[in-house]
Amino acid sequence: QESMHAYAANVYTTVIEELMKGKQRKFIAVEQEFFRLWWDMVATDTQKQQVHQLLQEGRLEFVIGGQVMHDEAVTLIDDQILQLTEGHGFLYETFGFRPQFSWHVDPFGASATTPTLFALAGFNAHLISRIDYDLKADMQKNKKLQFVWQGSPSLSERQEIFTHVMDQYSYCTPSQLPFSNRSGFFWNGFATFPDPPKDGVYPNMSLPVTDANLHLYAQTMVANIKERAAWFRTGDVLWPWGCDKQFFNASVQYSNMDPLVDYINKHSAEFGVTVQYATVSDYFQAVYSRNLTWEIRDSQDFLPYSTEPFQAWTGFYTSRSTLKGIARRASSLLYAGESFFTQYVRKHPEGSVCKCKALKQLQSLRWAVSEVQHHDGITGTEAPKVKDMYMNNLLYGMFNVKKLMASIIFDINNAKKNGEVYSSVYTKGSGKPDVDQYVVVYNPLAWNITTFVTVSVSNEAMSVYDELGHSVPAQVQSSVESQSTYDLYILVAISGLSYRKYTIKPLNGKQSAFIGRSIKYKRRDLTRADQQRRQLFPVVNNCYQIVFDQNTNLMHSITERDTNQTVQFTQEFLEYHVNGDTKKGPISDNYLFAPNASAVPVSKAVGLEVMSGNLMTEIRQYFYSNVTSQDYIYAVYTRLYSVPEGYDGKLLCHRIEQEYSVGPLELNREAVLRTSTSLNTRQLLYTDNNGYQMQKRPFKAYVNNTVARNYYPMVQTAYIEDDATRLMLLSERAHGVSSQGNGQVEMMLHRRLWNNLQWDLNNNLTLNDSSVVRPVIWLILGTKAVTNALYWKSGLALEHRPVVIFGALSGDKPKLPRRPQQDSVRDSPVTVPPNLHLQTLSIPGWRYSSNHAEQVRSIRMGKQKQGDADFSRVLLRIRHLYEVGEDLVLSQPVMVDLKSLLKGLGSVMAVEERSLTGTWDVNTLELWKWKTAQYPGKRFFNSTEASEDFIVTVHPKEIRTFFVYFQVQ
């Protein structure tokens, strides 16, 4: 909001005004969040008309066109697609405009997922800037800053994109003037926050262009253009004019730029250069028309990113872990809410929940989840008050969507409205005594799931029943978090996109829930533990035997029971001590990780408690700084599940669930959990790009800062392996991970920092984060074949845990029907094969025509006015989870009959295949084909086969997007 007031609104207002004054002037804009706020709250009708005109003339150009310029290291693919789709939907509905180029200049490192997504969205070229400094220098010297990037090994040339890496000057105009001690080219100075200066004089305003210095300015600019030209293969130089928070006073900018541009062009024979205002589209069009043959880059990403020897930007992989966790929880709740609402609209056209209001509730969460993907959002690189804004928007959106889901359940069941509904997602329940509680559990995945949900209850004596009154397996035990409550684990088996109701009754008669019994072991002093005298005890389920050593209270080994393969396995918490004083050396901050030395173990003593029951064993380990400490800063809760006969417990059985409690840390400490195994991994680590594909991470030795430069982002998955066995880690938020030794993987869980770097102080960038964080990791150990079959589904099962909505039956107990009626959301599950993921099922609400000519015509005639949202169009995305050749069975293409898949929602009348964000009909999308040695002839490439009879074949790693229309009921 301060940005809007002090800066962003002025950019759009003054730039639009200036563009109208000169036909030669142009401008590019990226993020739709600010533009939409300006459009809705500031822009006049005249300004809106002018924007339409400038877009048509190609003088104003939106590049990327997402809500934000998203981070590439710590974001999930679903959220990247969401924020792009949100921005593109607005642009297409409002202007009939479809971005075709990227400008990803500011994310801290580049992921290989991005080129694939941008190609799928209909982009003709991709532009990045922040890559490792020594790599950039090398590419610059050898004229290799431009290439055709095949980001996905499975999709290869079918979804490739021409990529331009900006040179060492990056996206800002160089400001050094050899003829003056004042800077140049930034005539409007720097924006001041929160208010503009009263006298209109901004700090750092550049030396104005006058007759006296015009020639000197031109010489400086031409020299820089020529320096850059030497680093590229064509004579076209992209010279970005602007920087962070520029053009808020565009008249000053253009009135100094115009004479300079004119002067160089008048003297082009002397300078050997001509200059023109351009958009990104103009630049790429020029390069494309040169018809050169380009090198291919494979699916290797550009992570991590360092700017100099002691500046490894690997700290932000973990910064503000709580924000990272909430952002993902919100994303997952949005995913559930979208499919739940879509089913309701399709099956209950007469339902009493107001659809327009419901869509607004979903939109508030779409907006919040989209904006936090910003490269200074989920990264944790924002000031505390901005972080609070992200959090508030996410929590408000989540509250809205939970409320919506609860009212839909109420409406479907016609329950009396005086039954109290309060809803909560993954957080524990109510703990109300002596009231029959019920929980509604929704499975947002399009597979059958068998898992546990946890409810907080007030006593041990509990029974759980399904709608038919049958007893449901459950276990109750004292809570980890509170002395006065109990955790009730309920075993749920729910088919795809369906929900079940369970009633929880305080005991009257027979006990149905198993009671978990506690054994507390003596706290052990690690400094005096006798390594010779191991006292081993096992914890076992059908898949694993985990052995603990009573002598140290630490884990000792894990045996995978199918193969009888035993892996030595220990875990310890360590802290990197880091410097915050710039006078004393390199610092760690929100962005950077710069450890002083090796990590130091944090605990000298470990306490152990084992809760065992028929369904689950929970091992609680508490790590103390010494034997007599009262409080612990670190704890691990490890859960091993046993599944009764008659349930499909494959995923559950192979899951070793760990929840960590970390904090509050001391200042300038970075907390890691290091897992050491007997696997001979040769220090090779694998981590994912955005939950989409895996990257190989061999350990690299550097002269300086080797520890930090071998940290990588883990968004959802990381693993280490030897020839026989693989250990997989799955996470519900992003972390930095590294393998600092053979057989080791360490994960950074939390950071608390303070530093005196002036830039950080000026922007209130402090990471004095005194919170306690509670991340969850699922471990899977087994052969490559076993883990291959499990890890994609397991990662998604962790990401999209069932949504639990609580209700209490009040005094007059309106009974929920004992016999389930033909209950729509339950009786028509939507199920896809195990190698596919139903990535999106939603009602976007856009009012645009999917026929481009018609959409453009209606906008030009002014017919695209505000109206009711369109509830008839359903957006469907299906993703193939596997790479070519990754698994014998699961890597095969899959035929899907969309009519049959969605029959539970109604009769499918029409299906249109669309580009990733929905704005192109894939049959009319003709991407530029850049010449490569692999494909010497330029040609257009159309990647999809027509879906005859609603049957589509989904190939490895494909993401297919459809608009689906149903018969009107």
Side-chain angles (χ1 to χ4, degrees):
Q1 286 145 344
E2 277 180 14
S3 256
M4 271 304 283
H5 167 69
Y7 157 66
N10 300 331
V11 172
Y12 288 111
T13 300
T14 65
V15 165
I16 300 305
E17 185 183 337
E18 289 306 307
L19 291 179
M20 296 306 291
K21 290 179 186 169
K23 280 283 184 219
Q24 79 287 9
R25 294 173 170 182
K26 298 191 175 185
F27 194 78
I28 62 163
V30 175
E31 296 175 317
Q32 291 308 299
E33 175 139 341
F34 280 130
F35 180 76
R36 288 172 75 171
L37 290 170
W38 176 79
W39 183 260
D40 290 339
M41 290 150 63
V42 179
T44 63
D45 286 347
T46 307
Q47 286 167 333
K48 288 183 176 184
Q49 253 344 95
Q50 291 170 337
V51 170
H52 277 280
Q53 181 189 331
L54 291 166
L55 282 169
Q56 279 166 34
E57 292 173 4
R59 299 202 294 116
L60 172 65
E61 178 172 85
F62 289 112
V63 285
I64 309 179
Q67 271 300 92
V68 295
M69 186 190 296
H70 67 258
D71 166 68
E72 298 193 39
V74 298
T75 46
L76 194 62
I77 184 171
D78 306 54
D79 303 329
Q80 297 178 350
I81 294 172
L82 170 77
Q83 74 85 22
L84 270 179
T85 303
E86 281 297 283
H88 286 191
F90 164 76
L91 284 174
Y92 196 54
E93 181 173 273
T94 315
F95 307 110
F97 183 87
R98 302 181 286 201
Q100 291 178 50
F101 302 94
S102 106
W103 182 261
H104 244 221
V105 296
D106 218 13
F108 321 133
S111 159
T113 308
T114 316
T116 302
L117 292 188
F118 285 172
L120 286 166
F123 287 14
N124 285 310
H126 176 37
L127 186 149
I128 61 176
S129 181
R130 292 181 181 265
I131 66 169
D132 222 58
Y133 69 101
D134 39 13
L135 179 61
K136 182 179 276 198
D138 187 60
M139 291 167 78
Q140 195 168 277
K141 192 173 77 198
N142 296 304
K143 296 195 181 188
K144 289 185 186 292
L145 290 170
Q146 293 171 317
F147 45 84
V148 170
W149 196 356
Q150 297 181 350
S152 159
S154 295
L155 300 173
S156 63
E157 77 282 351
R158 288 189 301 139
Q159 298 299 342
E160 65 188 17
I161 194 165
F162 181 79
T163 304
H164 171 102
V165 183
M166 293 189 124
D167 58 46
Q168 68 190 43
Y169 291 103
S170 192
Y171 61 89
C172 292
T173 321
S175 58
Q176 288 313 111
L177 293 182
F179 55 90
S180 162
N181 57 4
R182 280 174 70 182
S183 72
F185 305 104
F186 292 113
W187 295 284
N188 56 198
F190 290 111
T192 57
F193 287 77
D195 291 305
K198 297 272 183 287
D199 58 2
V201 178
Y202 287 84
N204 292 27
M205 290 174 84
S206 289
L207 194 65
V209 174
T210 59
D211 289 347
N213 64 24
L214 182 55
H215 185 73
L216 296 170
Y217 251 122
Q219 279 180 321
T220 305
M221 184 167 169
V222 166
N224 183 264
I225 289 169
K226 286 181 169 172
E227 181 188 7
R228 290 175 162 192
W231 300 327
F232 292 94
R233 290 179 57 201
T234 79
D236 315 291
V237 177
L238 186 154
W239 209 72
W241 210 325
C243 194
D244 296 2
K245 304 191 174 67
Q246 283 297 307
F247 283 91
F248 57 86
N249 187 352
S251 68
V252 182
Q253 283 293 112
Y254 281 107
S255 59
N256 282 282
M257 288 155 74
D258 283 354
L260 194 43
V261 169
D262 293 344
Y263 183 81
I264 293 172
N265 288 338
K266 280 200 186 82
H267 300 85
S268 62
E270 173 195 338
F271 287 126
V273 164
T274 59
V275 183
Q276 68 174 73
Y277 287 118
T279 60
V280 181
S281 163
D282 295 332
Y283 171 70
F284 282 124
Q285 193 78 56
V287 176
Y288 184 60
S289 65
R290 303 280 185 176
N291 206 9
L292 298 184
T293 300
W294 300 96
E295 281 189 9
I296 291 173
R297 181 181 176 86
D298 66 10
S299 56
Q300 188 58 45
D301 64 9
F302 291 96
L303 289 163
Y305 161 62
S306 291
T307 36
E308 51 185 71
F310 285 100
Q311 291 187 349
W313 295 52
T314 57
F316 80 92
Y317 301 158
T318 306
S319 297
R320 300 206 193 285
S321 178
T322 302
L323 175 65
K324 285 175 164 65
I326 294 282
R328 287 272 284 274
R329 289 241 292 272
S331 157
S332 158
L333 176 63
L334 175 63
Y335 174 77
E338 296 279 16
S339 65
F340 202 65
F341 176 64
T342 303
Q343 294 183 78
Y344 177 71
V345 169
R346 291 294 329 131
K347 300 171 188 174
H348 296 268
E350 303 302 308
S352 68
V353 173
C354 167
K355 294 182 181 46
C356 290
K357 184 182 171 203
L359 188 61
K360 283 203 167 65
Q361 290 173 305
L362 286 166
Q363 282 166 336
S364 77
L365 190 51
R366 287 176 193 168
W367 183 283
V369 173
S370 294
E371 77 177 0
V372 79
Q373 307 310 316
H374 187 278
H375 58 274
D376 279 314
I378 195 167
T379 49
T381 55
E382 65 283 271
K385 64 179 173 187
V386 182
K387 178 259 302 177
D388 293 341
M389 176 205 76
Y390 285 126
M391 287 288 260
N392 291 340
N393 291 355
L394 288 165
L395 293 169
Y396 171 74
M398 289 170 80
F399 174 75
N400 276 331
V401 170
K402 289 179 214 170
K403 213 160 67 173
L404 169 62
M405 292 179 80
S407 33
I408 287 175
I409 290 165
F410 248 79
D411 187 52
I412 291 173
N413 290 296
N414 291 319
K416 287 196 181 139
K417 291 292 183 278
N418 61 359
E420 183 192 346
V421 162
Y422 44 96
S423 62
S424 167
V425 175
Y426 316 141
T427 48
K428 307 297 193 260
S430 67
K432 290 213 165 150
D434 312 325
V435 177
D436 282 8
Q437 246 184 307
Y438 67 87
V439 291
V440 174
V441 183
Y442 177 62
N443 167 22
L445 290 165
W447 306 305
N448 299 346
I449 59 158
T450 302
T451 190
F452 282 94
V453 296
T454 317
V455 180
S456 189
V457 292
S458 54
N459 63 35
E460 273 192 340
M462 284 286 157
S463 304
V464 182
Y465 301 98
D466 64 14
E467 296 101 323
L468 296 171
H470 297 145
S471 180
V472 173
Q475 179 171 320
V476 67
Q477 59 196 40
S478 64
S479 168
V480 163
E481 289 178 24
S482 127
Q483 302 302 306
S484 57
T485 61
Y486 296 87
D487 290 336
L488 175 65
Y489 287 82
I490 304 170
L491 183 65
V492 300
I494 309 175
S495 46
L497 268 52
S498 305
Y499 71 81
R500 302 283 305 269
K501 289 194 218 67
Y502 300 91
T503 306
I504 301 167
K505 290 178 178 290
L507 199 59
N508 41 12
K510 71 180 199 348
Q511 166 81 22
S512 85
F514 298 113
I515 293 181
R517 295 287 172 223
S518 157
I519 303 170
K520 285 199 169 107
Y521 292 84
K522 196 172 153 218
R523 193 187 295 189
R524 293 296 181 183
D525 184 343
L526 297 179
T527 56
R528 313 190 30 198
D530 180 352
Q531 295 307 318
Q532 296 352 98
R533 278 186 55 248
R534 294 198 185 285
Q535 286 180 280
L536 304 179
F537 71 91
V539 175
V540 185
N541 74 357
N542 287 334
C543 298
Y544 299 114
Q545 170 175 287
I546 305 181
V547 174
F548 285 83
D549 183 355
Q550 243 173 280
N551 206 15
T552 58
N553 287 343
L554 294 174
M555 209 182 280
H556 169 268
S557 64
I558 301 178
T559 302
E560 205 266 320
R561 295 184 62 189
D562 265 358
T563 57
N564 214 14
Q565 197 69 24
T566 298
V567 175
Q568 303 301 310
F569 194 99
T570 56
Q571 291 183 309
E572 61 175 339
F573 288 107
L574 302 102
E575 286 176 349
Y576 286 101
H577 294 204
V578 295
N579 169 44
D581 184 354
T582 51
K583 293 191 195 71
K584 292 184 178 158
I587 56 149
S588 267
D589 65 4
N590 300 52
Y591 310 90
L592 309 176
F593 171 40
N596 283 343
S598 301
V600 182
V602 290
S603 63
K604 296 199 169 62
V606 182
L608 180 70
E609 179 182 8
V610 178
M611 303 291 301
S612 50
N614 297 40
L615 299 178
M616 180 190 79
T617 304
E618 181 176 68
I619 300 101
R620 302 174 179 177
Q621 292 166 290
Y622 302 97
F623 295 77
Y624 298 92
S625 52
N626 59 54
V627 178
T628 55
S629 304
Q630 287 301 298
D631 298 318
Y632 58 89
I633 293 177
Y634 295 90
V636 183
Y637 310 105
T638 303
R639 303 181 186 110
L640 201 58
Y641 297 102
S642 299
V643 185
E645 287 294 307
Y647 284 86
D648 171 15
K650 192 171 175 197
L651 283 187
L652 212 93
C653 175
H654 280 96
R655 170 189 314 165
I656 300 171
E657 179 171 297
Q658 291 199 314
E659 182 178 353
Y660 311 112
S661 175
V662 179
L665 300 177
E666 289 175 42
L667 210 50
N668 287 331
R669 298 284 187 268
E670 317 215 14
V672 301
L673 176 77
R674 182 176 291 165
T675 299
S676 304
T677 72
S678 54
L679 299 177
N680 180 20
T681 62
R682 302 179 184 84
Q683 248 180 302
L684 178 59
L685 172 70
Y686 293 81
T687 69
D688 66 329
N689 272 163
N690 319 105
Y692 177 64
Q693 61 191 26
M694 300 304 296
Q695 291 277 351
K696 206 171 184 167
R697 310 293 193 190
F699 189 85
K700 294 175 185 159
Y702 294 95
V703 179
N704 296 306
N705 217 14
T706 292
V707 169
R709 289 184 79 174
N710 278 285
Y711 255 79
Y712 294 93
M714 162 195 189
V715 177
Q716 204 169 43
T717 312
Y719 65 84
I720 54 173
E721 64 183 15
D722 63 14
D723 297 338
T725 308
R726 181 184 286 170
L727 170 68
M728 308 219 57
L729 292 80
L730 304 170
S731 69
E732 37 71 87
R733 70 187 73 181
H735 300 280
V737 288
S738 186
S739 179
Q740 299 282 339
N742 188 25
Q744 277 185 6
V745 56
E746 72 182 33
M747 183 167 38
M748 192 180 287
L749 298 174
H750 201 10
R751 319 177 73 214
R752 184 178 184 185
L753 308 170
W754 182 88
N755 71 78
N756 59 6
L757 183 71
Q758 203 50 53
W759 195 87
D760 284 343
L761 294 176
N762 293 349
N763 291 283
N764 193 17
L765 265 183
T766 162
L767 198 59
N768 190 357
D769 180 349
S770 57
S771 64
V772 176
V773 298
R774 301 290 295 261
V776 172
I777 293 287
W778 289 357
L779 303 172
I780 302 176
L781 182 75
T783 61
K784 290 176 194 180
V786 166
T787 54
N788 253 347
L790 295 172
Y791 82 104
W792 279 113
K793 275 187 83 163
S794 295
L796 286 158
L798 173 57
E799 188 64 36
H800 299 296
R801 287 167 287 186
V803 177
V804 181
I805 293 181
F806 298 91
L809 302 180
S810 58
D812 56 344
K813 300 212 173 166
K815 278 280 172 273
L816 286 165
R818 261 299 167 83
R819 269 204 50 65
Q821 317 137 301
Q822 269 301 68
D823 179 344
S824 57
V825 182
R826 184 170 27 236
D827 294 335
S828 46
V830 177
T831 311
V832 296
N835 49 357
L836 296 188
H837 171 44
L838 188 74
Q839 191 160 7
T840 310
L841 182 67
S842 71
I843 293 179
W846 301 310
R847 299 183 313 279
Y848 61 68
S849 164
S850 54
N851 176 312
H852 183 63
E854 204 173 286
Q855 173 64 3
V856 171
R857 197 163 48 245
S858 83
I859 286 171
R860 300 236 162 126
M861 292 168 68
K863 288 187 179 161
Q864 193 63 27
K865 291 282 178 275
Q866 289 297 314
D868 280 344
D870 176 0
F871 291 97
S872 68
R873 175 186 291 156
V874 170
L875 176 67
L876 170 74
R877 274 195 202 96
I878 296 176
R879 163 156 75 107
H880 197 302
L881 295 171
Y882 284 82
E883 297 281 2
V884 169
E886 187 178 357
D887 185 275
L888 276 174
V889 178
L890 296 166
S891 290
Q892 298 302 317
V894 188
M895 283 175 75
V896 182
D897 180 340
L898 298 179
K899 208 177 170 103
S900 147
L901 175 71
L902 300 172
K903 65 177 186 294
L905 277 72
S907 176
V908 174
M909 295 306 289
V911 172
E912 299 166 355
E913 180 152 11
R914 307 293 291 184
S915 60
L916 182 71
T917 58
T919 52
W920 293 87
D921 173 343
V922 291
N923 300 308
T924 63
L925 178 58
E926 294 195 331
L927 293 178
W928 297 355
K929 188 68 195 170
W930 298 75
K931 273 197 336 195
T932 60
Q934 192 178 357
Y935 289 99
K938 261 207 236 180
R939 60 199 176 84
F940 290 118
F941 204 96
N942 204 331
S943 64
T944 55
E945 74 274 18
S947 46
E948 289 303 311
D949 308 328
F950 305 112
I951 292 175
V952 293
T953 302
V954 188
H955 293 274
K957 280 297 165 198
E958 277 190 340
I959 301 171
R960 304 282 289 274
T961 303
F962 305 93
F963 287 165
V964 183
Y965 303 90
F966 292 85
Q967 192 171 350
V968 179
Q969 290 162 311

